[in-house]
């Protein structure tokens, strides 16, 4: 399992701290886009829980971190569904019907993407990491890839409940009875269209995970190639 250094973890923490500070200053009490501040906090929680589990040697800490991580996991992908709110920006110039040069709109777009893209990529990393931890340290008797597929399906369900039933990860922790009642009712009322949306979200999540793995494999191969070339250069000298 690839180890992630404390320096890298702290760098990611610093990135989110700076991003959240900027999101707060730009969006606070100014528009509906303040939701990107709160939702980015929720998206970061499972990422940091992955750091905790990864650096822990205790099975109890890993198991506890996983349970909380699973509750907050969908928030890493949920930010993408908030992109629908970009339509409220009125990005087109009323006279030319071309994309407006309004600086505030471009600033909002950049900040939103700086929250969405890293959170989604780190969400994929987090799922892959936690799946391997479950198999290797908690001895769950399944292949990591199968565990990833199961976690992605749970993630897709969480996306559906969060977006269409307006359930929140915090509600599941502090109002679990009411939240479970809403989830049960949602399952009972599940129609064909809702099932199709959940399957679409699942397939989309799988595609993102596949893209993430291909990119990380490309980076790993490139790094190994550079190390090999450096070794050969030293041998020639």
């Amino acid at each position: 399992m690839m180890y992630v250094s404390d320096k890298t973890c702290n760098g990611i923490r610093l990135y989110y701290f700076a991003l959240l500070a900027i999101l707060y200053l730009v969006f606070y009490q100014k528009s509906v886009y303040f939701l990107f501040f709160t939702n980015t906090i929720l998206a970061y929680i499972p990422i940091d829980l992955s750091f905790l589990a990864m650096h822990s040697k205790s099975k109890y800490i890993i198991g506890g971190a996983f349970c909380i991580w699973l509750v907050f996991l969908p928030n890493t992908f949920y930010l993408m569904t908030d992109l629908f709110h970009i339509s409220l920006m009125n990005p087109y110039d009323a006279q030319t019907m071309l994309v407006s040069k309004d600086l505030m709109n471009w600033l909002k777009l950049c900040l939103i993407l700086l929250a969405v893209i890293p959170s989604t990529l780190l969400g994929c990393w987090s799922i892959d990491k936690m799946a391997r931890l479950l198999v290797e340290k908690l001895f769950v008797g399944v292949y990591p890839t199968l565990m990833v597929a199961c976690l992605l399906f749970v993630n897709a369900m969480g996306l559906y409940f969060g977006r269409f039933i307006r359930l929140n990860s915090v509600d599941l922790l502090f109002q679990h009875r009411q939240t479970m009642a809403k989830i049960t009712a949602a399952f009972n009322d599940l129609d064909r269209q809702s099932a199709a949306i959940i399957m679409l979200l699942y397939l989309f999540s799988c595609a993102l995970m596949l893209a993430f793995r291909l990119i990380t494999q490309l980076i790993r191969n490139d790094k190994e190639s550079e190390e090999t070339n450096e070794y050969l250069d030293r041998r020639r000298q």
Side-chain angles (χ1 to χ4, degrees):
M1 184 190 307
M2 188 173 67
Y3 177 78
V4 180
S5 67
D6 290 335
K7 183 178 179 180
T8 301
C9 295
N10 290 334
I12 292 172
R13 292 186 179 109
L14 182 61
Y15 172 86
Y16 272 91
F17 179 81
L19 176 64
L20 287 168
I22 296 171
L23 288 173
Y24 184 86
L25 292 173
V26 173
F27 292 139
Y28 180 63
Q29 291 185 339
K30 292 182 180 179
S31 69
V32 69
Y33 295 102
F34 187 67
L35 59 87
F36 279 100
F37 171 77
T38 56
N39 287 347
T40 300
I41 293 176
L42 294 174
Y44 175 70
I45 291 175
I47 296 168
D48 206 80
L49 286 170
S50 299
F51 297 157
L52 173 64
M54 179 182 61
H55 290 98
S56 176
K57 296 181 180 180
S58 170
K59 295 181 181 179
Y60 299 104
I61 293 177
I62 295 173
F66 171 76
C67 292
I68 302 174
W69 171 86
L70 191 62
V71 172
F72 284 91
L73 170 64
N75 293 290
T76 58
F77 285 64
Y78 184 84
L79 278 174
M80 288 188 298
T81 68
D82 282 334
L83 291 175
F84 280 112
H85 299 305
I86 292 178
S87 62
L88 300 175
M89 284 185 182
N90 297 319
Y92 296 101
D93 187 287
Q95 296 180 342
T96 64
M97 294 308 294
L98 299 175
V99 175
S100 171
K101 294 181 179 179
D102 185 288
L103 184 60
M104 197 61 191
N105 274 352
W106 282 97
L107 174 61
K108 290 177 180 178
L109 177 63
C110 289
L111 289 176
I112 289 169
L113 293 178
L114 285 173
V116 173
I117 295 174
S119 297
T120 305
L121 291 174
L122 287 169
C124 290
W125 171 86
S126 180
I127 291 173
D128 192 55
K129 179 64 66 175
M130 293 300 282
R132 294 179 185 277
L133 282 173
L134 288 174
V135 172
E136 295 176 11
K137 292 194 175 183
L138 298 185
F139 306 107
V140 177
V142 297
Y143 291 106
T145 301
L146 178 59
M147 179 62 69
V148 168
C150 294
L151 291 174
L152 286 172
F153 185 75
V154 173
N155 179 64
M157 295 295 296
L159 286 174
Y160 175 81
F161 291 137
R163 175 49 63 192
F164 296 102
I165 308 177
R166 308 303 298 163
L167 294 180
N168 191 294
S169 299
V170 178
D171 296 335
L172 191 57
L173 290 179
F174 297 102
Q175 300 178 359
H176 52 276
R177 289 186 179 180
Q178 298 91 322
T179 303
M180 291 306 299
K182 290 180 180 179
I183 291 175
T184 302
F187 272 117
N188 293 334
D189 296 335
L190 198 67
D191 55 17
R192 185 175 298 178
Q193 185 177 23
S194 299
I197 291 174
I198 292 172
M199 184 55 61
L200 177 62
L201 291 172
Y202 175 63
L203 294 175
F204 178 67
S205 300
C206 290
L208 282 175
M209 177 59 74
L210 176 61
F212 169 78
R213 284 191 166 183
L214 290 174
I215 292 170
T216 53
Q217 185 63 44
L218 178 65
I219 294 172
R220 191 177 299 114
N221 291 342
D222 188 57
K223 183 178 179 180
E224 291 175 354
S225 177
E226 288 181 358
E227 291 175 349
T228 301
N229 290 335
E230 289 176 0
Y231 172 76
L232 293 175
D233 290 339
R234 289 195 299 268
R235 288 290 301 271
R236 293 191 187 100
Q237 294 174 358

